[in-house]
Amino acid sequence: MKKLLDTSGGKLLEIAGVRLLGFINENIRKGEDYEGKKYAYSEKSFYRPYDEKIYKKIKRNPSLFKIVTNKSGKLGFIIHGYKRYKEFMNPAAKNSFLTGRGEMLRNMNITNVTDTEVVIGFTDPEQGKKAFWFNVSGVGKSRKLWKFLGINDKQKKELYELLGVEFKTFVVDELGKIIDTANTK
């Protein structure tokens, strides 16, 4: 029986990993972290270096920004809140979170599965750093956390129930094979 349990681990953990990724992405689409807190973009003003392409877009909305000069004489913007900036620059994505260019979430995947563990990680180390900033160290001056690498209690229960069914199915199938083999001898 030990061999039977050992061989099931990897497959069951792979199923768990795929479902975990699904739950994480589902939470992001709903705009909430795994603790149930809603994501919200900052409404505080922030500095951004001057960029002609950005200026051509935002100049239609002068209440959104102010052009400033830093101590070394370089131009920059004071943007009056990332929330307003995002709504203006990309209205269709105003309620879309953690998807600036989508690179980080596209790189989130199952990176390893063994009989005892499944690892969800990032195929690009830069994207892994971003995830660390969002989940552990915080983003921006305020070190705001966007805890997306996790699942809520309801999802944990659903995953537990799914794995219980999968495990029972696996054991029954494997026992059926053992019995068939014994009957053919």
Side-chain angles (χ1 to χ4, degrees):
M1 189 65 162
K2 183 173 181 353
K3 174 101 173 96
L4 174 67
L5 294 176
D6 288 345
T7 58
S8 68
K11 181 65 177 162
L12 286 175
L13 288 173
E14 186 175 353
I15 291 167
V18 169
R19 192 62 194 118
L20 254 165
L21 285 171
F23 283 139
I24 290 169
N25 284 310
E26 177 183 309
N27 291 343
I28 292 167
R29 277 190 299 278
K30 286 195 285 186
E32 57 186 49
D33 68 14
Y34 65 84
E35 295 174 336
K37 296 176 187 163
K38 290 286 189 187
Y39 294 132
Y41 289 118
S42 174
E43 296 184 39
K44 295 179 184 175
S45 294
F46 66 96
Y47 174 82
R48 179 177 179 110
Y50 185 84
D51 181 316
E52 188 65 32
K53 289 179 187 174
I54 291 173
Y55 177 69
K56 285 180 181 178
K57 291 180 183 178
I58 65 174
K59 71 180 182 181
R60 297 180 312 223
N61 187 350
S63 69
L64 181 62
F65 71 100
K66 178 170 110 178
I67 295 179
V68 295
T69 307
N70 66 16
K71 291 178 184 175
S72 62
K74 293 186 178 182
L75 287 177
F77 301 111
I78 299 292
I79 306 287
H80 303 302
Y82 186 76
K83 180 180 179 180
R84 287 182 59 206
Y85 174 76
K86 183 166 182 164
E87 287 174 356
F88 180 78
M89 295 296 275
N90 191 354
K94 73 179 187 179
N95 292 318
S96 178
F97 300 96
L98 297 167
T99 57
R101 289 189 303 249
E103 292 175 86
M104 183 178 65
L105 296 180
R106 276 195 309 274
N107 277 270
M108 182 175 61
N109 214 328
I110 296 171
T111 57
N112 191 35
V113 179
T114 68
D115 282 347
T116 57
E117 70 177 3
V118 60
V119 178
I120 293 177
F122 297 84
T123 54
D124 176 356
E126 276 305 306
Q127 304 312 317
K129 286 179 190 176
K130 286 181 191 176
F132 174 80
W133 295 328
F134 278 110
N135 284 275
V136 179
S137 75
V139 180
K141 281 185 179 180
S142 65
R143 311 311 288 166
K144 181 177 178 141
L145 292 176
W146 294 57
K147 297 178 182 181
F148 69 93
L149 285 176
I151 59 175
N152 61 43
D153 290 338
K154 180 181 172 206
Q155 292 165 329
K156 287 176 188 174
K157 183 178 179 198
E158 189 177 322
L159 185 60
Y160 178 77
E161 290 169 3
L162 169 73
L163 292 178
V165 170
E166 288 291 332
F167 182 75
K168 289 174 190 171
T169 302
F170 178 82
V171 170
V172 169
D173 289 348
E174 289 300 308
L175 287 174
K177 290 177 191 174
I178 292 168
I179 292 168
D180 286 346
T181 305
N183 286 337
T184 57
K185 289 183 182 180

